[in-house]
Amino acid sequence: VESVESGGGLVQPGGSLRLACAASGSIFSINSMGWYRQAPGKQRELVATVTSGGSTNYADSVKGRFTISRDNIPYTVYLQMNSLKPEDTAVYYCNALGYYSGGSVPKMFDSWGQGTRVTVSS
């Protein structure tokens, strides 16, 4: 299973960006998809996740500014980022958790994208 992100770039403080990530492969089902980020010199941290049922979870630092959403077919997750701040600067990674069609019994997968850079600067 492969996850591919798009939509990063350079934006001024207060601006907006929309990230997208598509998961593909022999996917049987996806339980959750989400976004994580890693700023220079810091550990990777959760930004937001969304389950197959639509339940969402956000880091406190992005609540009210970021919105996560997903399409089930194709398996795509979006992150709408508004009111961006310089501290949002990071590489953003997509994650997908689920099962793939591997033989007679579906097998679990944990797929990460290659990352897309978001820079918030004037």
Side-chain angles (χ1 to χ4, degrees), residues 2-122:
E2 183 181 39
S3 298
V4 179
E5 304 103 336
S6 61
L10 173 65
V11 64
Q12 292 186 341
S16 298
L17 278 177
R18 188 185 194 218
L19 306 182
C21 172
S24 62
S26 301
I27 297 172
F28 180 78
S29 66
I30 291 186
N31 295 347
S32 70
M33 299 185 76
W35 292 94
Y36 294 73
R37 67 186 181 187
Q38 187 166 17
K42 295 188 177 181
Q43 290 189 329
R44 190 174 297 188
E45 63 177 3
L46 178 146
V47 177
T49 60
V50 58
T51 69
S52 58
S55 297
T56 57
N57 181 46
Y58 294 91
D60 288 343
S61 59
V62 306
K63 283 180 181 177
R65 300 188 298 122
F66 291 9
T67 302
I68 190 170
S69 60
R70 62 180 281 178
D71 291 328
N72 285 330
I73 298 176
Y75 296 107
T76 306
V77 63
Y78 306 95
L79 186 68
Q80 178 65 44
M81 304 185 294
N82 299 328
S83 302
L84 282 160
K85 305 175 181 180
E87 50 264 43
D88 295 317
T89 295
V91 176
Y92 284 70
Y93 296 91
C94 169
N95 175 256
L97 292 171
Y99 292 85
Y100 69 93
S101 303
S104 59
V105 178
K107 295 179 175 58
M108 288 187 65
F109 71 84
D110 182 358
S111 175
W112 289 89
Q114 80 287 353
T116 185
R117 186 172 300 276
V118 172
T119 303
V120 184
S121 175
S122 55

